[in-house]
Amino acid sequence: MAINESKLNSKIWLSPPHMSGHEQEFITEAFKLNWIAPLGPNVNGFEKDIETYLKQNTYAAALSSGTAAIHLALILLGVKQEDEVICQTKTFVASVNPVVYLGATPILVDSEEETWNICPVLLEKTIKDRISKGKKPKAIITINLYGMPYNVKQIHAISNKYSIPVIEDSAEAFGSEVNGQKCGTFGDFSVLSFNGNKIITTSGGGALICKTEALKKKAIFLATQAKEDGITYTHKTTGYNYRMSNIIAGIGRGQIKVLDNYVALRRRNYNHYYKHLKKIKAIRFLEEPEGYTSNRWLTCILLDTKQTRDNLLQWLNKNNIEARPSWKPMHLQPLFKDAPAYLNQVSENIYNKGLCLPSGSSLTETDLNRITKLIISYFDKL
Ligand SMILES: *Cc1c(COP(=O)(O)O)cnc(C)c1O
């Protein structure tokens, strides 16, 4: 009885790691060859795997984190102290922190309703306003939030019109697409993350996706302390220790084999929630615009009020199910209280009413039924 009960009520996590079984062979190989270093065959192999997966003549540099990838992208675009960088306000703090590392100022821009990502109308207004104040932004950081691609067509039209490059933060969207083209290939630079909660994980890690091999080489140079060629330890510029280790890359090689399978499983989660909860009037879903395919990294629903969201969150947590509010926008963070912000309430509304539901690829039908039944029972009680 006690055992059954604990099993029925066992904790369901938001987005736990999901090993495929292929990872160990690459790690074992690294041990056998004694390649225990921030370089080696798994690093090169994992980069090839990423490039093959993304297509579009991409060049991937495997790094220690997604945050490191954003930092290097900003450096490669020449962002310096006192510069301004536009960033979608609705994101996780890692998208914006590297702007601050460089002593530049983040300019925060709100979202559109259709994708929850940076609003094209507000973006253009922001650029015009910054230029009129005497400073042209050096880059635009866009996000594919929860796996949903941003408005690629309109954002890049604006980027081209004003000649401001885009850094595509695709940390949450490996496997997502727009009209058959993978996310992670749209930006002048794009960023992937393999942190523990992402759709595939190496426990921690990331990648910078470049448009040319020369830029990839520059990124790797900066990521390995900017050491000049030769054996004399000569340095002309400041570098970083940002390279991915050969052991970690082995996990990545095992994970990327099952990425498409995990996208299908996370989309299954979304479809299950949609099918069973769409009739509840207080719940809204983020549906895909035409031509868009989200990897559905996290299913985030919108409730009718903040109160409903808070109560439902509590109800799920009480029943041993991990659910979380949606990311707190950067303009509401004490850290960025002085950053200029161009707002329209969309991101704040999602923050107040959004609830992220368990979305792991290892969820079972039984888990999903337990979650949806609990949510339905919450509304039945009202
Ligand atoms: C996870 C995440 C990052 C950072 O990736 P790390 O690999 O954890 O440094 C950046 N941006 C977004 C939107 C993320 O969700």
Side-chain angles (χ1 to χ4, degrees), residues 65-67 91-92 94-95 143 169 171-172 193 195 198 205 327:
S65 72
T67 310
T91 187
F92 176 58
S95 311
I143 322 293
D169 178 350
E172 302 178 359
S193 167
N195 195 30
K198 300 302 196 296
W327 300 127

